Amino acid sequence: MAAVEAAMIRIRRRQSRRSLARPVVEGLTEPVDLNTLAVVDVVDEGAGEGGRDVTVGFVADRLAIDPSRASRIVADAVKSGFVRRVASQEDGRRSCLELTATGERAVAAAHRTRQEFYATVIEDWDTQEQREFARLLTKFVRSLDGAEEG
């Protein structure tokens, strides 16, 4: 467990520096700040969860920030044209978020940049190791989600 802890600390430090987000931002034709990119990622993630309403509360939950901060960074993402507010299909009084075409380009660039980076990091691993790593990492993240919900 000490090795897992040490590895997770190193991952957390890298993530807190947002070193991987910077190349994504620099590669876009539209200017985007890192908070907006985080919102775009969350809206994309929520949209992929099949019919789920993506709200400011969802953004706050996924980014582990308070709702008022989430509201501010979502407002910036809307103002910048990466995200738009739409009425919920379940409750028209409720405001949901979806990506604009600009937001979709940003998320596509983010996916492409991150996947290219990770592919480079594990390029000397054989195919079976890469598949096993993906399987175990996915399982680990599901367990983390379950531990946080429980």
Side-chain angles (χ1 to χ4, degrees), residues 23 26 30 44-45 47 51 54 98 122-123 125 147:
E26 293 165 5
E30 301 88 1
D44 178 57
E45 176 187 351
V54 180
E98 67 181 23
I122 63 172
E123 70 185 348
W125 298 14

Side-chain angles (χ1 to χ4, degrees), residues 22-95:
R22 292 189 199 291
V24 171
V25 172
E26 293 165 5
L28 292 173
T29 56
E30 301 88 1
V32 58
D33 68 35
L34 297 178
N35 287 327
T36 296
L37 186 59
V39 171
V40 166
D41 273 333
V42 170
V43 173
D44 178 57
E45 176 187 351
E49 293 184 2
R52 180 184 178 100
D53 280 349
V54 180
T55 63
V56 171
F58 181 83
V59 172
D61 181 58
R62 292 298 165 98
L63 295 180
I65 58 177
D66 64 85
S68 63
R69 174 147 167 70
S71 183
R72 286 191 301 276
I73 65 173
V74 164
D76 289 343
V78 170
K79 184 178 178 183
S80 300
F82 289 87
V83 174
R84 72 176 143 255
R85 295 181 192 273
V86 296
S88 168
Q89 297 303 308
E90 295 174 14
D91 181 351
R93 298 167 295 174
R94 191 167 158 187
S95 181

Side-chain angles (χ1 to χ4, degrees), residues 12-29:
R12 182 183 49 80
R13 285 183 187 143
R14 286 187 58 84
Q15 294 298 320
S16 67
R17 288 193 306 253
R18 293 180 163 184
S19 57
L20 194 50
R22 292 189 199 291
V24 171
V25 172
E26 293 165 5
L28 292 173
T29 56

